[in-house]
Amino acid sequence: MAGIDLRSPAFVNHGRLPHSCARNEENISPPLSWSGVPEEASELALLCESLDSPPGSLPLWLVTGIDPRRTGLESGTSHPGSYEHENGHGEDGWGGPTASNDGPHRYLFRLYALPAPVSLPHDVTSDAAREVLGQQSVSHGTLVGLY
């Protein structure tokens, strides 16, 4: 089965995230678009996590309950009816990256197609969310940004 094609008009895969996404700038999520969501999906979930953070960290962004008929999210938005979980800054919604002295960090966006609604704690860690979503998903797509 082919996976979901996840992309952004604001950056290429393994390219630099826009400055507007940074926590110390506008702190807005990048625009995302996708295609290839399987028909059996009843919900989508989006997880953005730092690949360079220690285990047990909270995500930059976790949105569950996204309508599977959607084909993307505009910059700075989630989706009416969806649920934004706590990010690594202790806030709900997008919690953008911060500049690092040790070079750019990698941020993985993963969109999961789920056959049934998922229930995750509000303050779920990236590791726990990835495990649950990975076990339940029927397909997924990935996109990596650097900052």
Side-chain angles (χ1 to χ4, degrees):
M1 169 186 358
I4 296 172
D5 180 23
L6 179 60
R7 56 199 173 285
S8 176
F11 67 99
V12 298
N13 194 27
H14 295 278
R16 188 156 180 90
L17 288 166
H19 288 288
S20 60
C21 295
R23 179 152 175 81
N24 61 340
E25 295 288 336
E26 295 173 53
N27 195 37
I28 58 173
S29 60
L32 298 171
S33 61
W34 54 79
S35 60
V37 172
E39 298 229 355
E40 64 265 28
S42 71
E43 177 179 309
L44 302 176
L46 178 67
L47 172 64
C48 178
E49 61 181 314
S50 170
L51 295 176
D52 302 305
S53 289
S57 298
L58 292 177
L60 265 72
W61 199 23
L62 175 59
V63 185
T64 55
I66 302 170
D67 186 330
R69 295 170 294 193
R70 289 195 60 95
T71 58
L73 298 174
E74 295 178 13
S75 182
T77 65
S78 60
H79 166 45
S82 64
Y83 180 76
E84 290 187 298
H85 295 256
E86 185 177 340
N87 62 43
H89 302 289
E91 305 162 345
D92 295 349
W94 173 257
T98 55
S100 172
N101 291 333
D102 58 349
H105 285 216
R106 301 165 297 153
Y107 297 94
L108 174 66
F109 293 81
R110 189 180 306 247
L111 183 70
Y112 296 89
L114 305 166
V118 66
S119 177
L120 294 170
H122 181 67
D123 61 349
V124 66
T125 65
S126 292
D127 298 335
R130 187 179 347 97
E131 182 176 339
V132 170
L133 295 170
Q135 289 173 354
Q136 295 184 21
S137 74
V138 293
S139 185
H140 71 271
T142 61
L143 177 66
V144 176
L146 305 175
Y147 197 85

